[in-house]
Amino acid sequence: MVSRTQKTERRRYNRDRDLGRARKRKATKAGTPAFPIHPEGYDPNAADAKPKQA
């Protein structure tokens, strides 16, 4: 028979793992939200602007 501590730790581990799986599954089904990374009118000289192509 396993100890109470070992059983509790295993149950906590399994629960945390399952909660992570549900969160990942939900995020995958929702997909990536559509939003502009660099909207029109964005300053091309800003520090995080897209690099200029030659």
Side-chain angles (χ1 to χ4, degrees), residues 28-46:
T28 300
K29 284 187 177 183
T32 304
F35 59 91
I37 303 296
H38 295 288
E40 296 300 321
Y42 189 77
D43 183 15
N45 296 325

Side-chain angles (χ1 to χ4, degrees), residues 6-53:
Q6 189 177 13
K7 184 174 181 178
T8 302
E9 287 177 355
R10 178 55 58 179
R11 288 175 68 189
R12 286 177 181 164
Y13 170 78
N14 286 335
R15 182 173 184 271
D16 291 343
R17 187 184 61 188
D18 290 343
L19 288 174
R21 285 182 181 173
R23 179 191 57 77
K24 288 178 205 170
R25 190 179 318 113
K26 183 178 176 183
T28 300
K29 284 187 177 183
T32 304
F35 59 91
I37 303 296
H38 295 288
E40 296 300 321
Y42 189 77
D43 183 15
N45 296 325
D48 60 344
K50 289 182 184 178
K52 297 175 183 168
Q53 297 198 0

